[in-house]
Amino acid sequence: MTDDPIVSVRNLKKHYPITEGILSRQVGAAKAVDGISFDIAEGETLGLVGESGCGKSTAASSIIRLEDPTDGEVIFNGGGRQGRTRNSDGTHPNDITKFQDEELKAFRRDAQMIFQDPSSSLDPRMTVGSSVAEMLLVHGMTDKQRRREIVEDLLERVGLSADYYDRYPHEFSGGQKQRIAMARALVLNPEFIVADEPVSALDVSIRAEILSLLNDIQEEFGLSMLFISHDMSVIREVCDRVAVMYLGEIVEIGDTEDVFSDPQHPYTEALLSAIPTPDPTVDRKNIELKGTVPSPISPPSGCRFHTRCHRVIQSDEYDLEQEHWRALLTFRDRVRGGEVDPDSIRTALSGEERDPSDVTDETVKSELRTEFDLPERISDADAESTLETALDALAEGRFDDATETLSTFSTPCEKEEPGETDHGDGHLSSCLRNQSEVRAEPAPADD
């Protein structure tokens, strides 16, 4: 591995327009990828991890130019040994987002992609040998016998038989199809591969075989790789560095062992807590992300994770248990969003034989506390008084008053966009708790 990046991604964005009306007037955009940046060194595997819907696969298809990015640069083989000279218009000569057809075709020889579902990426009407050899034909190799020799050799390198050349995709298992897909990605001898969830569609019993094969192939061919997954345990096994993605943004990036041993962003902590451990004696707290899941169409202000964060920063005027603060903010957001319906609670509690008006306000308020994980009484007297006032208003049907009262609960995380904090050795995170000018509460102790 060298220090020169083979791929440099700079402020990459991919927004999907939202239109309405017969004139398809754009009224918004879904910000699937919203300004991500990272480098991949030669011979390195960078893992891009996050839950479903965070923008990982969109980032992959944009980087490889299967989709045209909205903005940003993807500089291939141009950040190190070939220099950083730019064109007169400010563009980089190796920025693939600006490549035209011939340049893009040349780029395809050096960069390939392995997809999540090998069945959908293989033509059922073509033999697997023809599917793999097709790339050679597209790029000018007209010698049929030579194409066959290359493909048969590759099939053997990925653990299959050369005799499989003339067989069809339906004759193979999922693991075998993924090996065929890997052979197709390697047939042009690329320098860079994007592997998009390459084992998530496979049985657990064969995942380890495919991951081991990927590692062997990378070493044999000297490949650089962007490895995308939602599984942190897989990332730890195959990646040199890891970038954690949430709602279109990278919130933490660093060497894999540094991120796993010392996570600096609450979202990373939550992902790590979900990794199962085979040791029953290990007492590790599983972090449950509560709160409101935001939309990429209208991402929240400030830190995008604050609507679910288990370490969301408290206002200076309050001092209460962290999980109660999280519950208060979640309740506030649900009331704002019109998701709290005291009348339905009153009707449900009354049953078929009672008049809903017979259910007291105190009973409704108690049920609201239970439903939204609010304690019977909050330790901070000021916070308890504010909550009680809001609950009174809700029980009486005064929703605007309740919304206004609960708005006194606020956090710096929803107002200030976190900058990047450098923890050393390229370990970066974007969390207000890591910035000295913001008061950070101590981490909650594990049970």
Side-chain angles (χ1 to χ4, degrees):
M1 186 188 303
T2 73
D3 292 333
D4 294 336
I6 190 170
V7 176
S8 294
V9 177
R10 292 290 175 266
N11 197 34
L12 184 69
K13 297 181 181 181
K14 179 59 181 177
H15 297 175
Y16 295 98
I18 298 172
T19 61
E20 66 177 21
I22 59 174
L23 298 179
S24 297
R25 181 173 60 89
Q26 183 172 341
V27 294
K31 301 175 181 179
V33 178
D34 202 26
I36 64 173
S37 299
F38 55 81
D39 292 333
I40 301 177
E42 292 186 22
E44 178 184 51
T45 299
L46 174 69
L48 188 59
V49 66
E51 60 195 333
S52 297
C54 72
K56 306 185 302 295
S57 293
T58 302
S61 59
S62 299
I63 289 168
I64 211 78
R65 269 295 296 275
L66 296 182
E67 293 190 82
D68 289 329
T70 302
D71 196 10
E73 295 180 325
V74 180
I75 300 169
F76 182 73
N77 254 340
R81 66 187 180 202
Q82 295 185 20
R84 300 178 182 272
T85 304
R86 292 186 175 268
N87 299 323
S88 58
D89 60 358
T91 61
H92 197 288
N94 292 71
D95 180 7
I96 70 158
T97 68
K98 302 296 190 295
F99 281 1
Q100 301 302 314
D101 290 346
E102 287 303 314
E103 294 172 305
L104 199 56
K105 184 177 179 180
F107 168 69
R108 295 276 185 255
R109 292 196 293 268
D110 294 325
Q112 289 290 311
M113 189 164 183
I114 300 173
F115 296 92
Q116 177 177 355
D117 182 6
S119 297
S120 64
S121 61
L122 293 172
D123 188 336
R125 298 166 298 180
M126 296 176 65
T127 66
V128 297
S130 297
S131 290
V132 176
E134 185 179 26
M135 300 290 290
L136 294 170
L137 182 60
V138 168
H139 287 271
M141 183 176 287
T142 57
D143 188 333
K144 185 175 181 180
Q145 182 58 34
R146 178 58 180 152
R147 293 200 306 267
R148 186 178 184 105
E149 291 173 357
I150 291 173
V151 172
E152 287 179 344
D153 176 63
L154 273 176
L155 289 175
E156 291 181 341
R157 289 196 185 200
V158 297
L160 299 173
S161 169
D163 296 337
Y164 291 170
Y165 187 102
D166 295 310
R167 294 170 64 177
Y168 287 86
H170 72 270
E171 301 179 62
F172 297 94
S173 67
Q176 289 174 319
K177 289 178 184 177
Q178 195 60 285
R179 290 173 186 266
I180 294 166
M182 291 166 65
R184 186 171 59 181
L186 294 169
V187 73
L188 295 176
N189 194 24
E191 298 179 62
F192 175 56
I193 281 183
V194 175
D196 186 8
E197 301 267 15
V199 297
S200 64
L202 305 178
D203 292 340
V204 174
S205 59
I206 60 175
R207 287 185 185 182
E209 295 179 15
I210 299 299
L211 292 175
S212 177
L213 177 60
L214 269 174
N215 183 64
D216 294 342
I217 285 174
Q218 182 181 21
E219 292 183 359
E220 180 180 356
F221 288 84
L223 295 170
S224 304
M225 189 180 302
L226 176 63
F227 188 96
I228 295 170
S229 180
H230 64 273
D231 189 333
M232 292 293 278
S233 59
V234 171
I235 290 290
R236 187 169 198 172
E237 183 176 344
V238 302
C239 298
D240 302 302
R241 291 192 303 133
V242 56
V244 181
M245 194 168 182
Y246 182 79
L247 201 64
E249 297 181 338
I250 290 177
V251 297
E252 184 165 3
I253 186 170
D255 289 345
T256 300
E257 285 308 310
D258 289 343
V259 172
F260 274 69
S261 62
D262 189 24
Q264 294 295 322
H265 195 281
Y267 181 58
T268 309
E269 290 181 334
L271 292 178
L272 292 174
S273 76
I275 300 176
T277 174
D279 188 351
T281 64
V282 174
D283 184 18
R284 186 180 63 189
K285 184 176 180 180
N286 184 24
I287 299 172
E288 180 182 359
L289 295 181
K290 301 178 180 179
T292 304
V293 180
S295 167
I297 297 174
S298 181
S301 59
C303 173
R304 294 188 175 183
F305 187 54
H306 82 261
T307 63
R308 303 169 69 196
C309 183
H310 58 286
R311 291 201 186 189
V312 61
I313 298 173
Q314 296 185 28
S315 300
D316 289 336
E317 60 265 36
Y318 300 118
D319 185 15
L320 58 154
E321 293 182 44
Q322 187 63 31
E323 66 175 312
H324 294 168
W325 179 243
R326 172 70 273 161
L328 282 174
L329 292 181
T330 300
F331 183 59
R332 178 204 65 180
D333 293 341
R334 296 286 170 80
V335 172
R336 281 178 176 174
E339 301 175 47
V340 179
D341 189 354
D343 289 341
S344 295
I345 293 176
R346 199 182 296 273
T347 300
L349 292 174
S350 66
E352 296 182 358
E353 300 179 358
R354 294 175 58 193
D355 189 321
S357 62
D358 292 339
V359 178
T360 66
D361 288 353
E362 290 301 317
T363 302
V364 172
K365 288 160 56 179
S366 178
E367 186 64 23
L368 283 171
R369 285 182 183 259
T370 300
E371 182 176 339
F372 291 96
D373 296 323
L374 296 165
E376 291 185 8
R377 186 168 186 83
I378 295 176
S379 57
D380 186 290
D382 290 338
E384 171 62 26
S385 176
T386 301
L387 174 60
E388 187 67 16
T389 300
L391 289 172
D392 285 336
L394 285 171
E396 295 168 7
R398 295 182 287 109
F399 292 96
D400 290 343
D401 290 345
T403 300
E404 183 178 354
T405 300
L406 290 171
S407 294
T408 61
F409 295 128
S410 64
T411 169
C413 299
E414 64 190 347
K415 300 174 182 177
E416 303 176 35
E417 187 171 333
E420 203 168 58
T421 302
D422 190 342
H423 306 281
D425 296 325
H427 187 179
L428 309 173
S429 70
S430 298
C431 179
L432 285 177
R433 286 184 169 274
N434 297 328
Q435 298 176 16
S436 58
E437 66 269 19
V438 177
R439 177 178 62 87
E441 300 293 335
D446 289 344
D447 294 338

